[in-house]
Amino acid sequence: MMWLIILAVILVIAVVGVIYLTGAITRFSFIQKAAGGRKWRSRLLSFVILSLGFIAASALLSVTNAIVVLIHLIVLFVIAGLIVRLTERIRKKAFGFYFQGWLALVSTAVILCVGYYLCNHVWMTQYDLTTAKENADLKIAVFSDSHIGTTFDGEGLAAHLDEISSQDPDILLIPGDFVDDWSNKKDMLAACKALGETDYPYGVWYAFGNHDEGHFASRDFTADELREALRANGVHIMEDDCALIDGRFNLIGRKDASQSPRKSPAELAAGIDLSKYTIMMDHQPNDYANEAGYADLVVSGHTHGGQLIPIGIIGKLIGAFDRAYGWENRDGTDFIVTSGISDWAILFKTGTKSEYLIINVTHTS
């Protein structure tokens, strides 16, 4: 629902923005010269240039990403216009060239180039947590939202897994969206094989995300084939399941919120010893009130760290999730949301970055 609302808003902005942008582009001197001073020619030329740019961005990236570029261009033209008007009032003199246009173009290019880099490169983010529970010293690796085939394929995941393994974690958790609605079977199998070639003392554990089932597009494998490939490579799939690992700590894996019905945190925790350190995987971070107290640590993904400014703020305001990114503690439970190791469809991240997590849990008396 959040994404549908956001997409609807984006489409409205795009339509209104294209009209505004077409007029704004006519103010470039080279457009005015080419149009021979004719207003209708300058508007037509501006629209043609804008259309060709959109087509080129669609061909190079995708239609979705071309829309992202267009929205940034519109917003930055508006912001640049406000900056120019304020500056001209202060200096009491107009600029001798089309400062608004050039400022908007340069700003858009810089922001999106940085956003592309932040999305397509992966960093390690570390959290250090403490607990009074005994035998809870753990080094936990987490990645979510790999959306195999978006920024890297199955072979690309193997390279990232090598880096994660170099941190010597005790366990790897994958809280959802391992694949996407349009991932292909070849990449899915290669990614599962890469997981099977890892060696963690407590193995690899996985919980479904909203895209893993493949609801929104046709693809050449089913969710059951994904389950089969993961299990064949030694990955433990958790769908409203609990496990006591090495007699030391509990692990709970929830079904995704899109999978109905699913058990409540209270139902899942009913059969386990909560005196032991308890970790919960839940792809979507939108059930904090019910999860607090039934786990010591809850790890989630889904939000992509807010993806693009200001989606994180909007999502929080409309109640799409409890947190877009990072750590917080509620009633003694640590909640961590990762921005994901890759991305869904959009190849840019602004205000966040692609990452995997290393969570160090240390017992303190």
Side-chain angles (χ1 to χ4, degrees):
M1 182 58 70
M2 179 192 74
W3 286 106
L4 289 175
I5 293 171
I6 290 171
L7 287 173
V9 171
I10 286 173
L11 285 174
V12 171
I13 293 172
V15 172
V16 176
V18 165
I19 297 171
Y20 164 77
L21 203 55
T22 300
I25 292 173
T26 63
R27 296 175 62 190
F28 282 104
S29 59
F30 67 89
I31 296 288
Q32 294 176 352
K33 288 179 182 178
R38 300 287 184 89
K39 190 173 181 179
W40 70 269
R41 284 183 182 175
S42 63
R43 282 192 169 274
L44 178 60
L45 185 56
S46 296
F47 184 75
V48 169
I49 290 172
L50 193 58
S51 299
L52 290 176
F54 186 84
I55 292 169
S58 298
L60 288 172
L61 301 170
S62 70
V63 173
T64 300
N65 285 287
I67 293 172
V68 170
V69 174
L70 178 63
I71 294 296
H72 276 78
L73 196 59
I74 292 166
V75 171
L76 288 166
F77 254 94
V78 173
I79 292 173
L82 295 173
I83 291 172
V84 167
R85 285 188 181 89
L86 180 60
T87 305
E88 287 179 340
R89 279 190 178 184
I90 293 171
R91 67 198 296 256
K92 297 179 180 179
K93 183 181 178 182
F95 288 99
F97 65 102
Y98 188 28
F99 187 71
Q100 176 188 358
W102 289 111
L103 178 60
L105 289 178
V106 171
S107 298
T108 301
V110 170
I111 289 172
L112 291 180
C113 283
V114 171
Y116 185 87
Y117 183 79
L118 290 173
C119 181
N120 288 271
H121 291 72
V122 177
W123 285 262
M124 181 190 80
T125 301
Q126 181 171 302
Y127 293 92
D128 296 311
L129 308 178
T130 59
T131 178
K133 294 185 177 181
E134 296 182 355
N135 300 316
D137 293 83
L138 284 169
K139 191 172 190 177
I140 306 164
V142 180
F143 78 79
S144 76
D145 299 278
S146 45
H147 295 276
I148 298 298
T150 303
T151 61
F152 54 77
D153 57 14
E155 299 296 330
L157 176 65
H160 292 306
L161 288 172
D162 287 341
E163 182 181 346
I164 294 171
S165 294
S166 71
Q167 303 298 322
D168 294 321
D170 298 309
I171 189 170
L172 174 62
L173 307 180
I174 308 172
D177 281 359
F178 180 61
V179 294
D180 212 319
D181 298 288
W182 48 73
S183 299
N184 63 62
K185 188 172 184 178
K186 179 182 176 182
D187 281 339
M188 181 273 286
L189 292 174
C192 291
K193 181 175 180 289
L195 289 174
E197 292 172 348
T198 59
D199 184 19
Y200 305 104
Y202 298 130
V204 181
W205 299 76
Y206 161 81
F208 267 74
N210 56 303
H211 286 279
D212 292 313
E213 287 281 358
H215 294 299
F216 304 111
S218 59
R219 64 186 186 195
D220 60 350
F221 65 93
T222 65
D224 284 336
E225 287 177 305
L226 171 61
R227 290 180 177 91
E228 182 182 341
L230 287 167
R231 291 192 178 108
N233 285 281
V235 177
H236 306 276
I237 300 174
M238 307 195 81
E239 299 183 82
D240 278 355
D241 296 318
C242 308
L244 175 62
I245 300 176
D246 194 28
R248 295 177 54 204
F249 62 97
N250 302 307
L251 180 60
I252 299 172
R254 299 193 70 183
K255 286 183 177 180
D256 183 64
S258 64
Q259 296 174 292
S260 183
R262 69 171 181 168
K263 294 180 181 178
S264 69
E267 290 173 314
L268 288 167
I272 63 177
D273 181 4
L274 290 178
S275 67
K276 298 183 183 298
Y277 193 79
T278 301
I279 306 165
M280 182 181 291
M281 290 188 290
D282 187 7
H283 178 63
Q284 299 190 41
N286 58 10
D287 201 20
Y288 282 14
N290 292 317
E291 290 169 343
Y294 290 108
D296 298 286
L297 170 64
V298 178
V299 293
S300 303
H302 183 65
T303 63
H304 302 171
Q307 184 73 56
L308 300 168
I309 298 170
I311 291 177
I313 297 171
I314 294 171
K316 180 74 172 177
L317 289 174
I318 67 175
F321 41 73
D322 292 306
R323 188 174 189 85
Y325 179 73
W327 168 90
E328 70 174 89
N329 185 284
R330 291 196 189 184
D331 299 324
T333 297
D334 291 310
F335 291 89
I336 297 177
V337 183
T338 174
S339 59
I341 198 169
S342 181
D343 213 348
W344 165 87
I346 298 172
L347 297 175
F348 307 96
K349 284 183 177 179
T350 56
T352 185
K353 63 184 186 298
S354 295
E355 65 180 8
Y356 68 89
L357 308 182
I358 294 295
I359 305 172
N360 296 304
V361 181
T362 305
H363 165 68
T364 58
S365 53

